[in-house]
């Protein structure tokens, strides 16, 4: 079974400032802010929600089909995807644009200053769900506004069950937009902050939202996650991370685990734990696509974290 993963592709340029922003920003001068930070540490990572989810689903042995729009500078990313056998058949290059890019400077207090250029992501509506054959499940993850609206509608019209994952795109949508997404989606996945914002925007509590879909999944970082089903809420514990290095991309790794469980008919207790373990494995590495594991290692980590065997048969 293939999963169509709609969302962004991006280059993340990450710089580390070996000091604290507060030591160099004068509070009474922020209206004329003009600062420069010397950043000896720099990494350029492959990112974007669709690509991150696809990378993690591939690690689990799933069959991802990422779909989105990229720019004229995509060649090194394309090579990376080819190396990891992630298909690019539904990735469209926009000739006059750059691939979406985030420029992130982090200080010693883990504060971040980020500039984001959407570039080709704003053309996500130019690729369509109907162009893909043989898809049984999908996800609409953060992307260009019109692309997310179109892809949700196209999944619903095609009768393909899908996860709605608004993420950092939440500010792009109105109350009416969110209500429409919820009516169309099969499942919804948000973090705890986004869950509160979704309730505030729609006027519906998590339990009320869960009555309109098959499940509402709310991640809570190190506190685990909640899965709201009709009339009840499951408490999923966090998996044990051996070291915490970089939380960026943990949500995408969790969503890959969620898709894997749904694609393989796992129950929610197991699906939530598989997803939680994916997030824990990711947090142990810098970047969003630099981790790996074997099937045996994953089973061992599952047993270590949850005190039970993982049965995928």
């Amino acid at each position: 079974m293939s999963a169509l993963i709609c969302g962004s592709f991006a280059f993340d340029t990450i710089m580390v400032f070996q000091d604290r922003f507060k030591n160099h920003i004068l509070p009474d001068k922020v209206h004329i802010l003009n600062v420069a930070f010397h950043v000896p540490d720099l990494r350029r990572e492959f990112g974007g929600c669709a690509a991150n989810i696809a990378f993690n689903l591939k690690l689990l042995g799933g069959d991802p089909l990422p779909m989105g729009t990229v720019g004229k500078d995509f060649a090194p990313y394309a090579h990376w995807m080819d190396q990891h056998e992630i298909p690019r058949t539904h990735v469209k290059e926009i000739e006059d644009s750059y691939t979406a890019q985030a420029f992130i400077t982090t200080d010693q207090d883990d504060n971040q200053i980020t500039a984001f250029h959407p570039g080709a992501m704003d053309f996500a509506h130019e690729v369509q769900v109907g162009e893909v054959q043989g898809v049984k499940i999908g996800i609409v993850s953060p992307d260009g506004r019109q692309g997310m609206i179109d892809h949700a509608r196209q999944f619903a019209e095609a009768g393909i069950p899908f996860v709605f994952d608004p993420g950092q795109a939440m500010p792009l949508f109105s109350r009416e937009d969110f209500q429409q997404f919820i009516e169309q989606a099969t499942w919804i996945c948000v973090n705890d902050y986004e869950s509160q914002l979704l309730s505030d925007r729609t006027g519906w509590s998590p339990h009320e939202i869960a009555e309109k879909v098959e499940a509402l999944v709310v991640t809570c970082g190190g506190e685990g996650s909640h899965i709201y089903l009709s009339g009840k809420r499951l408490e999923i514990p966090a998996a044990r991370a051996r070291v915490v290095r970089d939380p960026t991309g943990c949500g995408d790794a969790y969503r890959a685990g969620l898709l894997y469980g749904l694609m393989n008919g796992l129950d929610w207790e197991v699906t939530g734990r598989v997803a939680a373990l994916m997030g824990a494995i990711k947090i142990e590495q810098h970047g969003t696509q630099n981790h790996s594991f074997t099937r045996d290692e994953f089973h061992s980590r599952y047993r270590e974290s949850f005190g039970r065997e993982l049965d995928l048969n």
Side-chain angles (χ1 to χ4, degrees):
M1 180 191 295
S2 297
L4 182 59
I5 303 170
C6 303
S8 62
F9 294 77
F11 290 110
D12 296 331
T13 300
I14 303 167
M15 296 156 281
V16 180
F17 177 48
Q18 302 294 339
D19 201 340
R20 293 170 170 80
F21 295 144
K22 66 183 181 182
N23 295 335
H24 300 269
I25 297 176
L26 302 175
D28 60 337
K29 299 295 184 182
V30 292
H31 62 292
I32 52 170
L33 187 65
N34 188 356
V35 294
F37 301 110
H38 181 68
V39 287
D41 296 327
L42 180 147
R43 306 191 318 271
R44 197 182 197 208
E45 304 282 2
F46 300 117
C49 295
N52 292 341
I53 295 169
F55 175 86
N56 283 281
L57 185 56
K58 188 71 175 183
L59 285 179
L60 280 167
D63 182 18
L65 286 175
M67 188 173 79
T69 44
V70 301
K72 56 189 176 183
D73 55 345
F74 193 66
Y77 207 148
H79 179 65
W80 171 263
M81 292 178 68
D82 292 345
Q83 280 184 311
H84 291 83
E85 300 181 343
I86 299 172
R88 295 186 286 113
T89 48
H90 304 291
V91 179
K92 179 179 180 178
E93 181 177 321
I94 307 299
E95 293 182 359
D96 297 328
S97 294
Y98 289 104
T99 303
Q101 307 200 27
F103 298 89
I104 305 164
T105 304
T106 303
D107 75 356
Q108 294 301 294
D109 288 331
D110 286 330
N111 296 309
Q112 291 186 333
I113 297 175
T114 301
F116 181 74
H117 172 66
M121 189 184 78
D122 281 345
F123 296 88
H125 55 279
E126 294 193 10
V127 289
Q128 299 181 11
V129 170
E131 298 170 353
V132 189
Q133 302 298 315
V135 171
K136 302 299 183 182
I137 192 171
I139 184 170
V140 174
S141 64
D143 209 348
R145 180 182 187 278
Q146 192 59 50
M148 293 179 71
I149 291 172
D150 289 356
H151 296 154
R153 175 179 50 79
Q154 290 161 9
F155 274 128
E157 290 177 349
I160 299 172
F162 73 97
V163 178
F164 175 56
D165 166 29
Q168 61 265 38
M170 289 197 76
L172 301 177
F173 301 109
S174 67
R175 173 191 179 95
E176 292 73 22
D177 291 330
F178 282 121
Q179 290 178 339
Q180 183 66 34
F181 281 129
I182 291 168
E183 294 294 338
Q184 294 168 330
T186 315
W187 310 279
I188 296 173
C189 188
V190 290
N191 64 30
D192 49 353
Y193 177 83
E194 294 158 359
S195 175
Q196 182 61 58
L197 188 57
L198 190 60
S199 290
D200 291 346
R201 290 281 183 87
T202 61
W204 297 331
S205 71
H207 287 289
E208 288 174 322
I209 293 172
E211 293 294 334
K212 301 176 185 297
V213 293
E214 290 189 13
L216 167 64
V217 181
V218 181
T219 61
C220 303
E223 300 302 314
S225 54
H226 308 312
I227 300 178
Y228 292 83
L229 305 170
S230 180
K232 64 179 179 179
R233 187 179 84 173
L234 302 180
E235 304 291 335
I236 305 298
R240 185 180 306 161
R242 293 171 178 170
V243 63
V244 176
R245 288 199 170 98
D246 180 6
T248 308
C250 287
D252 294 331
Y254 184 102
R255 283 148 180 78
L258 180 65
L259 279 175
Y260 183 84
L262 292 170
M263 294 167 72
N264 288 278
L266 305 181
D267 66 39
W268 282 110
E269 292 280 4
V270 176
T271 295
R273 285 167 170 78
V274 168
L277 181 53
M278 288 300 295
I281 291 172
K282 205 286 352 141
I283 207 171
E284 296 169 356
Q285 301 293 332
H286 290 290
T288 60
Q289 298 180 32
N290 295 323
H291 51 291
S292 64
F293 53 80
T294 66
R295 184 179 180 88
D296 287 345
E297 287 170 342
F298 192 83
H299 279 254
S300 177
R301 289 290 302 270
Y302 188 96
R303 183 170 56 250
E304 174 187 321
S305 286
F306 305 117
R308 62 180 73 175
E309 297 293 332
L310 175 59
D311 183 7
L312 298 180
N313 295 324

